[in-house]
Amino acid sequence: MTMQADLEMVKALLDGSRKVVVLTGAGVSAESGVPTFRGREGLWKTYRPEDLARPDAFEAHPELVWEFYNWRRKLVAECEPNPAHVALAELERALPNFLLITQNVDGLHARAGSRKLMEMHGSLWQVKCTVCTHAREDFGELEDLPECPVCGHLLRPGVVWFGEPLIPGVLKLAIAQVSDADVFLSIGTSSLVQPAASFYQLAKDHGAVTVEINLDPTPNTGFMDFALHGKAGEILPELVTGLKDRAT
Ligand code: NAD
Ligand code: ZN
């Protein structure tokens, strides 16, 4: 089948859906200029992000990890949501029952207007104390080793690092939502990071139609009902154009 025919079928699916759950990954923000982790441009200095975004790296070299996060915060602050983010916010507004689960920590979905949004890996714009309960949203410039205003200990980025458990309750909630979907879309994710990489299987087991949108095939492509290959910022606007507004 041609890509255009697949696109029309996915559009019809969305029009007739009861509940749509979308999972997004770094690919959705690539067209905004935010580097993905697996691409070559993901490297920072000579480090691989996977070697820095981990609790043991922070323990051993907090200043290096903070330097990396301050660089990412600055980079993302200069980026804008792209047509993929905008289209997903439009999709939310057109559908009666919708949830967007993102692995991204850049905050671009919220900036594009998404509200039914679960940032399952936290946010670059959250900081929290490594010792006490202090946590806050912070869009400002941070020191190299920022201190907690309450107890004076080191702050850390409010993101979920590789090897860390998800924020309590988030996984349970995500599983319940994915299981209830009748259409599940996986967009711009390499499908290598668990547990999100298995959400499509969960959705499928509960009867959902599954759709992947990615520049390239992923390990999950063969198991999807539909796979649309191309840029999320080009495919998503086409998908939402002319969609019936059923939000009321
Ligand atoms: P990933 O870097 O492993 O994979 C990105 C995927 O996006 C690849 O499969 C690639 O083919 C695809 N892609 C690239 N450009 C695309 C485009 N224009 N349109 C559609 N697809 C495109 O990302 P991941 O699967 O999200 O896993 C990485 C982990 O790192 C996540 O857990 C996330 O928390 C974190 N991360 C977040 C950001 C961010 O917030 N923007 C950026 C990098 C990594
Ligand atoms: Zn503290």
Side-chain angles (χ1 to χ4, degrees), residues 132-174:
C132 79
T133 56
H134 174 76
R136 66 169 192 261
E137 199 169 47
D138 194 318
F139 294 94
E141 208 163 301
L142 297 171
E143 329 245 298
D144 289 347
L145 285 173
E147 279 176 11
C148 173
V150 179
C151 73
H153 286 94
L154 187 60
L155 293 176
R156 58 161 283 178
V159 302
V160 179
W161 281 327
F162 292 108
E164 283 188 321
L166 293 181
I167 300 149
V170 164
L171 182 58
K172 211 171 146 197
L173 215 68

Side-chain angles (χ1 to χ4, degrees), residues 14 20 22 84-101 109-110 112-118 240 243-248:
L14 291 172
V20 174
V22 179
H85 299 109
V86 173
L88 286 170
E90 275 173 31
L91 190 61
E92 168 184 322
R93 287 193 292 269
L95 297 176
N97 206 345
F98 176 90
L99 180 70
L100 172 54
I101 303 174
H109 281 305
S114 286
R115 292 297 170 260
K116 293 176 181 168
L117 170 67
M118 203 190 281
V240 303
L243 213 61
K244 275 186 264 168
D245 189 341
R246 295 186 289 125
T248 43

Side-chain angles (χ1 to χ4, degrees), residues 24-31 34-39 41 49-50 53 72 76 82 84-85 102-108 120-122 124 160 162 187-193 196 213-218 228 230-235:
T24 63
V28 160
S29 294
E31 290 160 72
V34 183
T36 62
F37 271 8
R38 324 260 164 222
E41 76 286 11
E50 294 98 317
R72 288 184 71 195
V76 170
N82 69 56
H85 299 109
T102 189
Q103 301 168 84
N104 295 345
V105 295
D106 53 37
L108 290 174
M120 66 181 288
H121 290 163
L124 287 177
V160 179
F162 292 108
I187 309 174
T189 172
S190 61
S191 297
L192 294 172
V193 181
I213 300 174
N214 201 301
L215 213 48
D216 301 310
T218 76
L228 305 175
K231 290 184 174 179
E234 291 173 4
I235 295 174

